[in-house]
Amino acid sequence: MIAVLKSNASDFEKSFEALLARGAMDISSVEGRVKELLQEIKTQGKEAVIAQVLRFDSWNPKSFLELKIAQKEMECAYNNLDSNLKHALELAYQRIYAFHTKQMPKTWLDFEENGNLLGQKVTPVDRAGLYIPGGKAAYPSSLLMNAIPALVAGVKEIVVCTPTPKNQPNTLLLAAMHLCGIKEAYKIGGASAIGTLAYGVSGKDGIQKVDVITGPGNIYVATAKKLVFGEVNIDMIAGPSEIGILHNGKGSVDYVAWDLLSQAEHDEMASSILITTNAEFANAVTKRVDELLKDLPRKEIAEKSINERGAIIIAKDLDEAVELMNEIAPEHLEVLVENPLEILPKIKHAGAIFIGENTPEPIGDYIAGPNHTLPTGGSAKFFSPLSTEHFMKKSSIIAFSKQGIMQLGKECGILAHTEGLEAHQNAVLARLNHN
């Protein structure tokens, strides 16, 4: 049964601290092993990758080339899709593409009165690596959410890595690759995939290293991404999925119960948290969650998640509910209250905000348009959703006129002198004296 906490209880603070620590991953417990795997790939290349695929994915590729997914295989999977499924996939593609087009950063130039030119140049990275999870489930939607912003950003080379246990690729994932125009994809998972993308493997039919790696994964993937950061850029270090629901106790119990379970069925480590001002509603949701669990196909996973990492908090009022949810900073936040737009300015931390009872979190997972690759474990306080900007970089543009250097050079020299950097000072003074 999901835990029910009261904000005015004497032991609430201790229980709430446990919720805040929900995203803590014991990276230290796997860091040594992940370092070994990465070092093997860095020094041994293809041989190490093949050996690791055999070890972790239960099949034995005869050569590195066998790890590559053929474009013809992607195309065949797409062409053989059920027509309704193909339509849904294409509609999701169109909506995700349209949303990310609107968030594109811009190159800009600004001329000052003295003739100085300042600005910003935005350019895509040359090569992006996308990690798409597999194993317990395959996620074609994650392929769309990672590939489309890269395409919109203008990345020319996109490389996909995904685990394929027993060498059985997911057909819908292959179809999604074709829809996104993926030309380079490999049957490599876990930390092995992150190492392969970050370092590359040399030789004929090898893999060139990428500039940025995006995509969610388990603790081994998260640890590997953390370790290769600096060698390449990464999007974020994401943990298990989670949902927070703000509710004033007026509305459908079923809606809330299903929304909590929609996250719980992802993973035993997923977190489902409801904060409501109505104790009667909280009890009704608790009962309904237990009823719905009985017939859920992924009952074992969802039940463990609900029992060990779920919670319903009864707050004294809506202001306290919002304050507590800001501390939690959930990956997904549903706002199911009267006049939700009125409290929107008070919400400071959330990966994605779903407003109103007609906006269940799964609509954002698949077809709404905004990205579903979101910060977890409270990191929404400082991370943002995956976007086109993760696949782009910015360069500052500075061009001073003769008048501009004369106007600002003296002060620049003073600051350089104060820091004890004589060559800096003289580089500026040389221009002033020459003019």
Side-chain angles (χ1 to χ4, degrees):
M1 181 175 288
I2 193 167
V4 178
L5 314 174
K6 295 182 179 180
S7 67
N8 60 0
S10 59
D11 62 346
F12 175 74
E13 188 173 339
K14 182 179 179 180
S15 300
F16 190 65
E17 286 295 325
L19 281 182
L20 296 183
R22 71 198 180 282
M25 292 185 290
D26 190 10
I27 282 180
S28 62
S29 68
V30 302
E31 189 168 357
R33 184 67 191 116
V34 172
K35 280 183 177 178
E36 290 177 8
L37 295 172
L38 295 177
Q39 187 62 24
E40 286 175 7
I41 292 173
K42 197 171 185 179
T43 57
Q44 301 170 29
K46 294 178 181 178
E47 291 74 16
V49 178
I50 291 171
Q52 290 177 19
V53 169
L54 172 61
R55 196 181 319 166
F56 301 119
D57 281 348
S58 304
W59 69 285
N60 187 13
K62 299 296 187 292
S63 67
F64 190 79
L65 188 60
E66 198 174 336
L67 294 173
K68 189 168 185 178
I69 301 173
Q71 284 183 263
K72 187 170 290 187
E73 193 175 355
M74 302 176 200
E75 183 180 8
C76 181
Y78 179 78
N79 290 338
N80 289 330
L81 279 183
D82 169 80
S83 59
N84 290 329
L85 185 53
K86 183 182 288 188
H87 171 70
L89 198 65
E90 290 173 346
L91 182 59
Y93 179 98
Q94 292 162 10
R95 292 186 60 84
I96 297 165
Y97 197 101
F99 178 86
H100 287 82
T101 298
K102 293 174 183 176
Q103 64 177 198
M104 279 285 285
K106 293 180 172 59
T107 293
W108 57 268
L109 299 173
D110 180 55
F111 286 91
E112 297 182 337
E113 289 183 1
N114 59 15
N116 292 345
L117 171 64
L118 302 177
Q120 172 180 276
K121 186 176 187 297
V122 181
T123 53
V125 300
D126 292 331
R127 191 167 166 84
L130 315 182
Y131 183 79
I132 309 302
K136 288 184 179 179
Y139 298 102
S141 58
S142 289
L143 188 280
L144 297 183
M145 292 292 183
N146 281 264
I148 292 172
L151 291 168
V152 173
V155 179
K156 298 300 183 186
E157 298 178 15
I158 299 174
V159 192
V160 173
C161 280
T162 185
T164 53
K166 299 182 180 179
N167 194 20
Q168 296 178 353
N170 178 270
T171 301
L172 187 53
L173 178 57
L174 294 178
M177 288 184 195
H178 176 74
L179 182 60
C180 292
I182 300 299
K183 296 181 174 60
E184 191 175 355
Y186 298 90
K187 294 177 275 191
I188 309 171
S192 310
I194 304 304
T196 303
L197 292 169
Y199 303 130
V201 291
S202 59
K204 186 179 179 182
D205 300 317
I207 301 178
Q208 182 184 344
K209 66 170 291 186
V210 301
D211 301 306
V212 60
I213 298 173
T214 71
N218 61 18
I219 189 172
Y220 291 92
V221 172
T223 303
K225 286 172 71 176
K226 183 176 182 180
L227 291 172
V228 301
F229 176 63
E231 182 79 31
V232 296
N233 197 10
I234 63 171
D235 52 352
M236 65 190 81
I237 301 171
S241 189
E242 58 192 32
I243 188 171
I245 302 177
L246 279 172
H247 204 289
N248 60 358
K250 298 177 182 178
S252 169
V253 170
D254 267 20
Y255 286 0
V256 173
W258 278 123
D259 291 355
L260 291 171
L261 289 172
S262 72
Q263 293 306 294
E265 71 176 352
H266 264 297
D267 191 311
E268 295 93 337
M269 299 293 287
S271 298
S272 301
I273 302 167
L274 165 67
I275 304 182
T276 180
T277 55
N278 188 312
E280 186 177 337
F281 184 81
N283 293 330
V285 170
T286 301
K287 181 180 178 181
R288 190 61 176 141
V289 165
D290 285 345
E291 291 172 351
L292 295 175
L293 265 172
K294 294 175 183 177
D295 298 318
L296 202 65
R298 293 168 67 89
K299 176 189 174 183
E300 188 175 334
I301 292 172
E303 190 169 40
K304 186 172 183 180
S305 166
I306 286 291
N307 291 343
E308 296 182 7
R309 297 171 71 86
I312 296 176
I313 298 174
I314 303 171
K316 65 181 181 182
D317 55 35
L318 193 54
D319 284 339
E320 183 185 56
V322 172
E323 183 179 340
L324 292 171
M325 195 62 82
N326 277 329
E327 283 299 304
I328 293 170
E331 176 188 17
H332 308 99
L333 172 60
E334 290 187 1
V335 183
L336 306 182
V337 301
E338 293 171 331
N339 304 314
L341 293 179
E342 290 183 6
I343 71 165
L344 189 59
K346 298 179 182 179
I347 296 171
K348 298 189 295 184
H349 310 303
I353 303 170
F354 300 77
I355 296 175
E357 65 176 13
N358 293 317
T359 318
E361 182 279 327
I363 205 77
D365 279 346
Y366 297 104
I367 210 161
N371 210 285
H372 80 193
T373 305
L374 302 165
T376 63
S379 63
K381 290 183 177 181
F382 47 85
F383 274 128
S384 301
L386 186 69
S387 72
T388 55
E389 292 200 32
H390 284 94
F391 299 96
M392 308 187 83
K393 51 198 172 55
K394 298 167 185 172
S395 302
S396 300
I397 298 171
I398 307 166
F400 264 48
S401 66
K402 184 177 291 187
Q403 183 183 356
I405 193 71
M406 293 299 291
Q407 285 181 349
L408 299 175
K410 178 182 176 182
E411 288 75 12
C412 181
I414 290 172
L415 293 172
H417 176 74
T418 301
E419 293 189 352
L421 300 174
E422 186 176 349
H424 279 62
Q425 180 186 16
N426 289 334
V428 176
L429 294 181
R431 268 78 173 178
L432 300 185
N433 295 334
H434 180 74
N435 288 319

